[in-house]
């Protein structure tokens, strides 16, 4: 029998389980990969290609040297793809 488990409250859906914004690495089943400087614990981002909800497979603190440089700060945050923004109803960066 095929078992499908829905995410529940308290489930660890991401490697990082803290309260801070971190740097996340995403890989969708469709093959698309991306990185985001607005990644949160137990929070998905939607894939730009197939709109699937994807949880980061790796997360690192933003304080790690050189890593934050990879994030283009002038690039607008894609709120419609961000699970945190959708949950908050506003820009997660200001959280
Ligand atoms: Zn995808
Ligand atoms: Zn966001």
């Amino acid at each position: 029998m095929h078992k499908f488990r829905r995410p529940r409250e308290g489930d660890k859906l991401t490697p990082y389980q803290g309260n801070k914004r971190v740097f996340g690495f995403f890989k969708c089943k469709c093959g698309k990969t991306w990185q985001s400087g607005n990644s949160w614990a137990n929070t998905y981002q939607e894939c730009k290609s197939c709109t699937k909800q994807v949880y980061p497979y790796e997360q690192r603190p933003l304080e790690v040297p050189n890593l934050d440089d990879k994030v283009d700060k002038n690039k607008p945050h894609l709120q419609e793809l961000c699970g945190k923004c959708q949950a908050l109803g506003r820009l997660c960066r200001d959280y």
Side-chain angles (χ1 to χ4, degrees):
M1 197 178 143
H2 180 69
K3 273 195 200 165
F4 180 76
R5 209 168 66 90
R6 281 173 178 279
R8 283 174 309 175
E9 193 91 30
D11 268 0
K12 291 189 171 74
L13 299 168
T14 52
Y16 175 72
Q17 291 294 309
N19 299 319
K20 287 207 262 181
R21 184 164 62 89
V22 293
F23 194 90
F25 297 79
F26 298 80
K27 188 175 203 288
C28 181
K29 286 197 175 83
C30 75
K32 177 153 186 73
T33 59
W34 71 95
Q35 301 169 3
S36 171
N38 289 277
S39 180
W40 302 83
N42 304 323
T43 304
Y44 65 81
Q45 288 192 3
E46 284 178 25
C47 174
K48 261 191 240 181
S49 302
C50 69
T51 71
K52 224 178 180 50
Q53 295 178 356
V54 182
Y55 289 93
Y57 64 89
E58 189 180 339
Q59 287 174 306
R60 291 183 198 162
L62 287 169
E63 294 86 58
V64 173
N66 302 323
L67 197 53
D68 206 24
D69 296 343
K70 281 196 197 173
V71 185
D72 185 356
K73 293 193 179 70
N74 297 317
K75 201 169 73 177
H77 177 47
L78 298 169
Q79 278 189 270
E80 68 275 14
L81 301 177
C82 174
K84 189 77 173 176
C85 286
Q86 288 174 17
L88 291 170
R90 59 193 168 84
L91 189 63
C92 68
R93 237 180 242 189
D94 302 329
Y95 179 63

XYZ file of all heavy atoms in Angstrom:
787
model
N 0.839 -1.203 0.000
C 0.000 0.000 0.000
C 0.874 1.254 0.000
O 1.846 1.342 0.731
C -0.898 -0.013 1.250
C -2.071 0.960 1.149
S -3.094 0.833 2.626
C -3.544 2.543 2.847
N 0.508 2.181 -0.827
C 1.297 3.411 -0.920
C 1.025 4.298 0.277
O -0.115 4.632 0.575
C 0.937 4.151 -2.213
C 1.703 5.422 -2.387
N 3.050 5.444 -2.647
C 1.311 6.706 -2.339
C 3.445 6.702 -2.747
N 2.418 7.491 -2.560
N 2.086 4.648 0.963
C 1.946 5.498 2.138
C 2.304 6.928 1.793
O 3.390 7.197 1.320
C 2.878 5.007 3.251
C 2.262 3.934 4.107
C 3.107 3.803 5.352
C 2.872 2.457 6.020
N 3.902 2.156 6.995
N 1.390 7.815 2.024
C 1.691 9.238 1.853
C 1.539 9.916 3.194
O 0.466 9.877 3.796
C 0.753 9.873 0.823
C 1.013 11.339 0.618
C 2.102 11.746 -0.135
C 0.183 12.285 1.175
C 2.358 13.094 -0.323
C 0.430 13.644 0.992
C 1.525 14.047 0.242
N 2.634 10.502 3.647
C 2.607 11.139 4.949
C 2.573 12.647 4.785
O 3.441 13.236 4.187
C 3.844 10.743 5.750
C 3.616 10.751 7.247
C 4.772 10.063 7.934
N 6.006 10.840 7.756
C 6.407 11.779 8.594
N 5.695 12.054 9.659
N 7.517 12.442 8.390
N 1.559 13.252 5.311
C 1.481 14.708 5.264
C 2.416 15.304 6.310
O 2.541 14.743 7.394
C 0.051 15.172 5.606
C -0.897 15.047 4.467
C -2.303 15.356 4.974
N -3.256 15.295 3.871
C -3.452 16.264 3.003
N -2.764 17.380 3.102
N -4.323 16.131 2.034
N 3.022 16.454 5.995
C 3.844 17.116 7.015
C 2.976 17.534 8.187
O 1.890 18.071 7.999
C 4.410 18.342 6.292
C 4.098 18.166 4.859
C 2.957 17.209 4.750
N 3.452 17.258 9.371
C 2.694 17.642 10.551
C 3.456 18.680 11.354
O 4.653 18.847 11.193
C 2.464 16.421 11.450
C 1.385 15.499 10.944
C 1.346 14.272 11.815
N 2.681 13.667 11.967
C 2.945 12.646 12.741
N 2.003 12.106 13.453
N 4.156 12.149 12.810
N 2.755 19.313 12.247
C 3.385 20.263 13.166
C 4.459 19.513 13.956
O 4.199 18.449 14.479
C 2.314 20.808 14.116
C 2.726 22.022 14.913
C 2.390 23.330 14.200
O 1.408 23.357 13.438
O 3.126 24.293 14.412
N 5.661 20.078 13.993
C 6.726 19.430 14.749
C 7.623 18.556 13.889
O 8.653 18.099 14.349
N 7.214 18.312 12.665
C 8.068 17.536 11.764
C 9.296 18.342 11.385
O 9.213 19.548 11.166
C 7.304 17.192 10.477
C 6.617 15.856 10.590
O 6.723 15.210 11.649
O 5.964 15.456 9.617
N 10.425 17.679 11.295
C 11.629 18.349 10.829
C 11.706 18.213 9.316
O 12.072 17.175 8.782
C 12.861 17.737 11.489
C 12.955 18.043 12.962
C 14.318 17.597 13.497
C 14.553 18.067 14.909
N 13.774 17.333 15.905
N 11.328 19.274 8.621
C 11.268 19.222 7.169
C 12.530 19.774 6.519
O 12.727 19.613 5.322
C 10.053 20.018 6.683
C 8.706 19.483 7.185
C 7.600 20.486 6.916
C 8.382 18.157 6.538
N 13.362 20.415 7.324
C 14.589 21.009 6.800
C 15.749 20.677 7.742
O 15.523 20.416 8.925
C 14.450 22.546 6.714
O 14.012 23.035 7.982
C 13.454 22.947 5.642
N 16.985 20.715 7.227
C 18.144 20.415 8.088
C 18.281 21.409 9.230
O 18.652 21.056 10.342
C 19.343 20.518 7.141
C 18.792 20.527 5.754
C 17.365 20.986 5.837
N 17.942 22.669 8.945
C 18.073 23.712 9.950
C 16.776 23.827 10.741
O 15.688 23.790 10.168
C 18.410 25.043 9.258
C 18.447 26.231 10.184
C 19.486 26.383 11.101
C 17.453 27.202 10.146
C 19.532 27.475 11.958
C 17.497 28.301 10.994
C 18.538 28.428 11.899
O 18.560 29.511 12.729
N 16.888 23.945 12.046
C 15.693 23.996 12.890
C 15.671 25.215 13.812
O 15.004 25.216 14.832
C 15.601 22.720 13.732
C 15.302 21.461 12.915
C 13.919 21.514 12.284
O 12.929 21.777 12.954
N 13.850 21.273 10.986
N 16.401 26.246 13.446
C 16.428 27.449 14.288
C 15.421 28.486 13.833
O 14.569 28.225 12.981
N 15.522 29.682 14.402
C 14.555 30.737 14.101
C 15.070 31.762 13.098
O 14.331 32.658 12.708
C 14.194 31.491 15.390
C 13.562 30.575 16.406
O 12.747 29.734 16.055
N 13.948 30.717 17.648
N 16.347 31.623 12.721
C 16.931 32.662 11.876
C 16.775 32.356 10.392
O 16.541 31.220 9.992
C 18.421 32.805 12.219
C 18.647 33.477 13.558
C 19.967 34.179 13.602
C 21.024 33.340 14.277
N 22.327 33.966 14.370
N 16.937 33.411 9.596
C 16.973 33.258 8.147
C 18.318 32.647 7.779
O 19.344 33.059 8.297
C 16.806 34.641 7.513
C 16.737 34.660 6.032
C 16.176 35.999 5.576
N 17.022 37.132 5.957
C 18.020 37.608 5.191
N 18.284 37.057 4.034
N 18.721 38.646 5.580
N 18.300 31.673 6.913
C 19.544 31.020 6.518
C 19.645 30.924 5.000
O 18.709 31.275 4.274
C 19.661 29.601 7.144
C 19.818 29.687 8.646
C 18.454 28.747 6.782
N 20.786 30.422 4.567
C 21.031 30.244 3.147
C 20.646 28.813 2.775
O 21.163 27.858 3.347
C 22.518 30.502 2.867
C 22.838 30.679 1.416
C 22.792 31.944 0.846
C 23.179 29.600 0.631
C 23.090 32.118 -0.497
C 23.479 29.764 -0.710
C 23.436 31.027 -1.276
N 19.712 28.660 1.844
C 19.210 27.334 1.515
C 19.565 26.884 0.106
O 19.648 27.694 -0.812
N 19.790 25.590 -0.021
C 20.065 24.965 -1.310
C 18.884 24.070 -1.674
O 18.528 23.178 -0.905
C 21.344 24.129 -1.236
C 22.571 24.945 -0.941
C 22.849 25.363 0.351
C 23.437 25.300 -1.949
C 23.986 26.118 0.638
C 24.572 26.059 -1.683
C 24.845 26.466 -0.389
N 18.301 24.294 -2.847
C 17.094 23.585 -3.238
C 17.342 22.761 -4.491
O 18.066 23.167 -5.391
C 15.964 24.581 -3.519
C 15.562 25.403 -2.329
C 16.307 26.502 -1.953
C 14.440 25.079 -1.593
C 15.941 27.271 -0.846
C 14.053 25.837 -0.484
C 14.816 26.934 -0.116
N 16.703 21.601 -4.528
C 16.766 20.781 -5.728
C 15.393 20.159 -5.937
O 14.899 19.412 -5.094
C 17.816 19.668 -5.563
C 18.068 18.906 -6.835
C 19.204 17.914 -6.624
C 19.888 17.504 -7.879
N 19.234 16.661 -8.783
N 14.789 20.510 -7.054
C 13.449 19.999 -7.352
C 13.558 18.683 -8.111
O 14.542 18.418 -8.788
C 12.690 21.033 -8.173
S 11.011 20.511 -8.558
N 12.495 17.886 -8.003
C 12.460 16.604 -8.716
C 12.494 16.807 -10.229
O 12.874 15.914 -10.976
C 11.202 15.829 -8.333
C 11.277 15.244 -6.939
C 10.215 14.152 -6.768
C 10.333 13.454 -5.432
N 9.654 14.200 -4.364
N 12.084 17.994 -10.694
C 12.086 18.263 -12.132
C 13.500 18.544 -12.646
O 13.719 18.650 -13.844
C 11.164 19.433 -12.466
S 11.834 21.052 -12.024
N 14.459 18.672 -11.712
C 15.836 18.894 -12.117
C 16.337 20.293 -11.858
O 17.531 20.545 -11.883
N 15.420 21.207 -11.581
C 15.841 22.591 -11.319
C 16.496 22.693 -9.953
O 16.032 22.110 -8.989
C 14.626 23.521 -11.408
C 14.974 24.956 -11.078
C 14.051 25.926 -11.769
C 14.512 27.361 -11.534
N 15.733 27.685 -12.300
N 17.589 23.428 -9.905
C 18.241 23.700 -8.627
C 18.348 25.201 -8.445
O 18.432 25.944 -9.409
C 19.658 23.092 -8.567
O 20.434 23.645 -9.623
C 19.623 21.582 -8.701
N 18.296 25.630 -7.204
C 18.501 27.055 -6.921
C 18.953 27.232 -5.489
O 18.894 26.304 -4.681
C 17.241 27.873 -7.220
C 16.087 27.682 -6.275
C 15.786 28.446 -5.193
C 15.064 26.678 -6.358
N 14.638 27.978 -4.595
C 14.178 26.911 -5.277
C 14.808 25.616 -7.221
C 13.055 26.097 -5.047
C 13.695 24.808 -6.998
C 12.836 25.055 -5.927
N 19.439 28.446 -5.208
C 19.869 28.809 -3.867
C 19.134 30.060 -3.456
O 18.766 30.861 -4.299
C 21.374 29.075 -3.850
C 22.180 27.879 -4.296
C 23.645 28.228 -4.535
O 24.054 29.352 -4.308
N 24.401 27.261 -4.989
N 18.913 30.192 -2.165
C 18.189 31.358 -1.685
C 18.749 31.833 -0.354
O 19.023 31.031 0.528
C 16.706 31.011 -1.529
O 16.031 32.074 -0.873
N 18.907 33.133 -0.248
C 19.327 33.727 1.017
C 18.162 33.990 1.946
O 18.323 34.546 3.016
N 16.979 33.577 1.524
C 15.788 33.708 2.365
C 15.184 32.338 2.605
O 14.100 32.018 2.149
C 14.744 34.617 1.716
C 15.178 36.058 1.714
O 15.005 36.762 2.698
N 15.772 36.497 0.628
N 15.941 31.513 3.312
C 15.466 30.174 3.609
C 15.213 30.076 5.107
O 15.923 30.652 5.909
C 16.526 29.157 3.163
O 16.093 27.852 3.440
N 14.170 29.333 5.473
C 13.758 29.239 6.878
C 13.551 27.777 7.261
O 13.350 26.926 6.401
C 12.450 30.003 7.090
C 12.523 31.442 6.706
C 12.376 31.947 5.440
C 12.778 32.555 7.553
N 12.508 33.313 5.471
C 12.756 33.714 6.748
C 13.006 32.680 8.935
C 12.970 34.986 7.285
C 13.206 33.948 9.455
C 13.186 35.074 8.635
N 13.556 27.528 8.555
C 13.322 26.175 9.043
C 11.922 25.703 8.653
O 10.954 26.465 8.756
C 13.489 26.129 10.567
N 11.824 24.473 8.189
C 10.551 23.833 7.858
C 9.706 24.644 6.870
O 8.484 24.657 6.969
C 9.730 23.573 9.132
C 10.516 22.751 10.129
O 11.259 21.851 9.743
N 10.382 23.049 11.401
N 10.375 25.338 5.970
C 9.662 26.189 5.027
C 10.085 25.887 3.596
O 11.272 25.853 3.286
C 9.931 27.675 5.341
O 9.556 27.925 6.695
C 9.133 28.573 4.418
N 9.107 25.660 2.746
C 9.392 25.346 1.350
C 9.543 26.606 0.526
O 9.161 27.698 0.958
C 8.271 24.485 0.759
C 6.934 25.204 0.689
C 6.642 26.090 -0.336
C 5.977 24.986 1.682
C 5.432 26.761 -0.390
C 4.760 25.652 1.634
C 4.489 26.539 0.601
O 3.301 27.207 0.546
N 10.084 26.441 -0.655
C 9.959 27.446 -1.703
C 9.403 26.730 -2.922
O 9.656 25.553 -3.113
C 11.319 28.083 -2.030
C 11.791 29.014 -0.919
C 12.977 29.867 -1.337
O 13.436 29.822 -2.456
N 13.484 30.645 -0.393
N 8.652 27.460 -3.720
C 8.081 26.835 -4.904
C 9.073 26.868 -6.056
O 9.763 27.851 -6.271
C 6.785 27.552 -5.303
C 5.631 27.176 -4.392
C 4.363 27.932 -4.762
O 4.234 28.347 -5.916
O 3.511 28.096 -3.887
N 9.110 25.769 -6.798
C 9.990 25.669 -7.952
C 9.480 26.596 -9.051
O 8.294 26.635 -9.337
C 10.014 24.224 -8.445
S 10.929 24.014 -9.969
N 10.418 27.355 -9.650
C 10.043 28.296 -10.702
C 9.564 27.577 -11.948
O 8.783 28.111 -12.732
C 11.249 29.148 -11.062
C 11.249 30.507 -10.409
C 12.332 31.370 -11.044
C 13.338 31.801 -9.995
N 14.391 32.655 -10.536
N 10.073 26.364 -12.157
C 9.751 25.640 -13.381
C 8.424 24.898 -13.287
O 7.620 24.939 -14.201
C 10.853 24.628 -13.703
O 12.079 25.293 -13.824
N 8.200 24.215 -12.164
C 7.018 23.344 -12.096
C 6.091 23.691 -10.929
O 5.088 23.020 -10.728
C 7.454 21.887 -12.022
S 8.252 21.451 -10.470
N 6.413 24.727 -10.159
C 5.629 25.214 -9.016
C 5.437 24.180 -7.902
O 4.573 24.342 -7.049
C 4.237 25.763 -9.434
O 3.393 24.678 -9.830
C 4.351 26.775 -10.553
N 6.256 23.146 -7.901
C 6.224 22.181 -6.815
C 6.807 22.821 -5.548
O 7.676 23.678 -5.635
C 7.090 20.969 -7.192
C 6.452 19.650 -6.873
C 7.372 18.532 -7.337
C 6.804 17.163 -7.048
N 5.440 16.952 -7.483
N 6.316 22.406 -4.393
C 6.860 22.923 -3.147
C 8.083 22.104 -2.757
O 7.995 20.895 -2.579
C 5.794 22.857 -2.055
C 4.614 23.776 -2.371
C 3.512 23.700 -1.335
O 3.575 22.920 -0.400
N 2.495 24.518 -1.503
N 9.218 22.786 -2.633
C 10.482 22.099 -2.404
C 11.113 22.585 -1.098
O 11.216 23.782 -0.860
C 11.457 22.354 -3.578
C 12.763 21.594 -3.367
C 10.813 21.977 -4.903
N 11.522 21.631 -0.277
C 12.239 21.981 0.950
C 13.737 21.926 0.686
O 14.195 21.094 -0.095
C 11.873 21.012 2.074
C 10.457 21.197 2.573
C 9.415 20.446 2.051
C 10.186 22.150 3.550
C 8.107 20.642 2.489
C 8.888 22.350 3.993
C 7.857 21.588 3.463
O 6.579 21.791 3.898
N 14.509 22.808 1.324
C 15.955 22.809 1.086
C 16.610 21.518 1.590
O 16.240 21.015 2.642
C 16.449 24.017 1.887
C 15.402 24.270 2.908
C 14.113 23.828 2.300
N 17.554 20.989 0.798
C 18.255 19.785 1.230
C 19.466 20.137 2.081
O 20.029 19.316 2.775
C 18.668 18.926 0.028
C 19.670 19.583 -0.912
C 21.040 19.444 -0.696
C 19.243 20.316 -2.017
C 21.955 20.037 -1.547
C 20.143 20.907 -2.868
C 21.500 20.768 -2.634
O 22.394 21.374 -3.479
N 19.866 21.412 2.000
C 20.986 21.870 2.808
C 20.753 23.320 3.192
O 20.228 24.100 2.395
C 22.284 21.735 2.010
C 23.520 21.988 2.851
C 24.813 21.843 2.044
O 24.804 21.185 1.000
O 25.819 22.427 2.485
N 21.121 23.667 4.405
C 20.978 25.054 4.852
C 22.212 25.457 5.639
O 22.760 24.656 6.394
C 19.731 25.194 5.736
C 18.446 25.116 4.957
C 17.242 25.099 5.862
O 17.150 24.281 6.758
N 16.307 25.995 5.640
N 22.644 26.680 5.424
C 23.833 27.180 6.122
C 23.546 28.552 6.700
O 22.792 29.327 6.111
C 25.003 27.307 5.145
C 25.499 25.961 4.670
C 26.680 26.146 3.767
N 26.899 24.944 2.972
C 27.629 24.904 1.866
N 28.190 26.000 1.415
N 27.798 23.791 1.208
N 24.192 28.862 7.819
C 23.997 30.196 8.397
C 24.503 31.265 7.448
O 25.480 31.051 6.733
C 24.853 30.170 9.675
C 25.289 28.767 9.869
C 25.146 28.048 8.573
N 23.853 32.407 7.437
C 24.264 33.494 6.548
C 25.569 34.135 7.003
O 26.195 34.865 6.248
C 23.169 34.565 6.495
C 21.922 34.169 5.700
C 20.813 35.172 5.942
C 22.213 34.084 4.215
N 25.982 33.844 8.236
C 27.208 34.459 8.750
C 28.457 33.831 8.135
O 29.542 34.374 8.260
C 27.307 34.306 10.280
C 26.239 35.062 11.042
C 24.962 34.251 11.192
O 25.033 33.155 11.741
O 23.910 34.707 10.738
N 28.310 32.672 7.517
C 29.467 32.009 6.912
C 30.101 32.946 5.878
O 29.409 33.428 4.988
C 29.065 30.677 6.245
C 30.243 30.090 5.472
C 28.563 29.690 7.278
N 31.396 33.221 6.009
C 32.045 34.171 5.104
C 31.889 33.761 3.641
O 31.929 32.573 3.319
C 33.523 34.110 5.519
C 33.532 33.564 6.889
C 32.330 32.674 6.997
N 31.731 34.735 2.799
C 31.649 34.580 1.342
C 30.321 34.026 0.834
O 29.998 34.166 -0.327
C 32.767 33.690 0.800
C 34.131 34.235 1.157
O 34.324 35.454 1.159
N 35.054 33.371 1.471
N 29.579 33.390 1.705
C 28.350 32.761 1.248
C 27.290 33.816 0.943
O 26.586 33.721 -0.059
C 27.842 31.793 2.322
C 26.827 30.765 1.873
C 27.344 30.001 0.664
C 26.544 29.786 2.996
N 27.200 34.824 1.797
C 26.193 35.850 1.591
C 26.492 36.683 0.343
O 25.598 37.289 -0.233
C 26.108 36.748 2.830
C 24.737 37.405 2.967
O 23.760 36.845 2.421
O 24.630 38.457 3.596
N 27.758 36.686 -0.064
C 28.129 37.430 -1.270
C 27.479 36.841 -2.512
O 27.316 37.512 -3.520
C 29.647 37.417 -1.458
C 30.352 38.148 -0.317
O 29.673 38.904 0.403
O 31.557 37.957 -0.161
N 27.157 35.575 -2.418
C 26.533 34.899 -3.556
C 25.119 35.404 -3.803
O 24.588 35.283 -4.896
C 26.457 33.392 -3.286
C 27.756 32.654 -3.506
C 27.399 31.185 -3.598
C 28.596 30.280 -3.400
N 28.162 28.879 -3.339
N 24.506 35.919 -2.745
C 23.139 36.400 -2.871
C 23.152 37.814 -3.438
O 23.772 38.705 -2.882
C 22.439 36.402 -1.491
C 20.976 36.779 -1.652
C 22.569 35.053 -0.842
N 22.501 37.992 -4.523
C 22.388 39.318 -5.118
C 21.351 40.107 -4.341
O 20.152 39.847 -4.420
C 21.981 39.185 -6.585
C 21.961 40.543 -7.283
O 22.182 41.563 -6.594
O 21.725 40.570 -8.492
N 21.828 41.067 -3.573
C 20.923 41.799 -2.679
C 19.984 42.736 -3.442
O 18.978 43.184 -2.923
C 21.722 42.572 -1.644
C 22.438 41.649 -0.687
C 22.969 42.415 0.517
C 23.669 41.475 1.479
N 24.947 40.967 0.935
N 20.343 43.042 -4.677
C 19.480 43.914 -5.472
C 18.356 43.150 -6.166
O 17.424 43.730 -6.687
C 20.309 44.653 -6.522
C 21.337 45.563 -5.873
O 21.025 46.245 -4.901
N 22.544 45.551 -6.387
N 18.501 41.849 -6.163
C 17.493 41.017 -6.799
C 16.265 40.968 -5.905
O 16.377 40.674 -4.721
C 18.058 39.601 -7.008
C 17.339 38.818 -8.069
C 18.100 37.550 -8.399
C 17.965 36.523 -7.284
N 18.623 35.251 -7.600
N 15.085 41.247 -6.441
C 13.899 41.200 -5.586
C 13.607 39.771 -5.125
O 13.804 38.822 -5.877
C 12.782 41.725 -6.490
C 13.266 41.557 -7.878
C 14.762 41.603 -7.827
N 13.176 39.657 -3.886
C 12.822 38.353 -3.338
C 11.521 37.871 -3.978
O 10.545 38.616 -4.056
C 12.673 38.497 -1.823
C 12.232 37.252 -1.145
N 12.804 36.029 -1.398
C 11.270 37.030 -0.214
C 12.210 35.126 -0.643
N 11.270 35.697 0.078
N 11.515 36.627 -4.426
C 10.337 36.084 -5.104
C 9.320 35.608 -4.071
O 9.272 34.452 -3.696
C 10.750 34.936 -6.025
C 11.718 35.340 -7.143
C 12.287 34.114 -7.834
C 11.023 36.227 -8.154
N 8.524 36.561 -3.610
C 7.590 36.273 -2.524
C 6.564 35.200 -2.866
O 6.164 34.413 -2.015
C 6.842 37.554 -2.144
C 7.631 38.444 -1.209
C 6.772 39.582 -0.696
O 6.720 40.634 -1.305
N 6.085 39.356 0.388
N 6.143 35.190 -4.136
C 5.098 34.239 -4.503
C 5.612 32.800 -4.491
O 4.846 31.860 -4.464
C 4.490 34.588 -5.865
C 5.416 34.409 -7.058
C 6.310 35.622 -7.311
O 6.415 36.489 -6.420
O 6.909 35.685 -8.393
N 6.954 32.657 -4.467
C 7.532 31.321 -4.431
C 7.952 30.922 -3.029
O 8.360 29.798 -2.789
C 8.757 31.254 -5.352
C 8.546 31.582 -6.827
C 9.861 31.535 -7.569
C 7.556 30.611 -7.461
N 7.863 31.851 -2.088
C 8.411 31.632 -0.753
C 7.316 31.231 0.228
O 6.353 31.965 0.436
C 9.119 32.897 -0.286
S 9.703 32.812 1.405
N 7.471 30.067 0.828
C 6.484 29.573 1.785
C 6.396 30.438 3.018
O 5.340 30.572 3.629
N 7.529 31.033 3.404
C 7.536 31.882 4.597
C 6.727 33.162 4.354
O 5.924 33.559 5.196
C 8.989 32.232 4.949
C 9.148 32.922 6.273
C 9.027 31.952 7.418
C 9.354 32.625 8.751
N 9.151 31.697 9.872
N 6.944 33.782 3.197
C 6.179 34.980 2.855
C 4.686 34.673 2.821
O 3.861 35.455 3.281
C 6.609 35.516 1.488
S 8.209 36.326 1.490
N 4.344 33.516 2.264
C 2.928 33.146 2.166
C 2.335 32.917 3.541
O 1.200 33.287 3.807
C 2.781 31.897 1.296
C 3.023 32.202 -0.178
C 3.018 30.951 -1.040
O 2.541 29.904 -0.640
N 3.577 31.071 -2.235
N 3.124 32.326 4.428
C 2.630 32.068 5.785
C 2.475 33.371 6.566
O 1.535 33.536 7.333
C 3.577 31.120 6.513
N 3.411 34.303 6.348
C 3.383 35.570 7.091
C 2.421 36.570 6.475
O 1.907 37.450 7.143
C 4.782 36.195 7.129
C 5.856 35.500 7.950
C 7.214 36.116 7.659
C 5.541 35.588 9.436
N 2.230 36.454 5.155
C 1.426 37.423 4.452
C 2.169 38.723 4.186
O 1.581 39.750 3.868
N 3.484 38.681 4.348
C 4.318 39.854 4.052
C 5.742 39.376 3.781
O 6.021 38.184 3.871
C 4.293 40.866 5.202
C 4.784 40.290 6.503
C 4.438 41.213 7.666
N 4.650 40.534 8.940
C 5.841 40.463 9.531
N 6.893 41.020 9.012
N 5.956 39.827 10.680
N 6.624 40.306 3.501
C 7.984 39.943 3.144
C 8.728 39.316 4.329
O 8.847 39.920 5.373
C 8.719 41.197 2.647
C 10.090 40.993 2.018
C 9.971 40.131 0.751
C 10.717 42.321 1.665
N 9.221 38.086 4.106
C 9.855 37.359 5.210
C 11.182 37.990 5.615
O 11.666 37.782 6.714
C 10.055 35.893 4.844
S 11.280 35.606 3.546
N 11.790 38.734 4.716
C 13.087 39.349 4.999
C 13.005 40.306 6.177
O 13.974 40.522 6.891
C 13.536 40.131 3.770
C 14.880 39.691 3.249
C 15.250 40.508 2.050
N 15.391 39.668 0.886
C 15.879 40.095 -0.270
N 16.230 41.336 -0.415
N 15.997 39.283 -1.273
N 11.839 40.923 6.345
C 11.674 41.884 7.433
C 11.234 41.222 8.739
O 11.022 41.872 9.732
C 10.612 42.937 7.051
C 10.986 43.655 5.773
O 12.196 43.800 5.528
O 10.077 44.066 5.038
N 11.088 39.922 8.710
C 10.596 39.157 9.852
C 11.543 39.273 11.039
O 12.740 39.116 10.869
C 10.433 37.700 9.438
C 9.942 36.772 10.521
C 8.682 36.964 11.075
C 10.728 35.722 10.948
C 8.225 36.095 12.041
C 10.269 34.848 11.908
C 9.021 35.039 12.466
O 8.567 34.171 13.423
Zn 10.477 21.786 -10.381
Zn 10.091 35.054 1.663
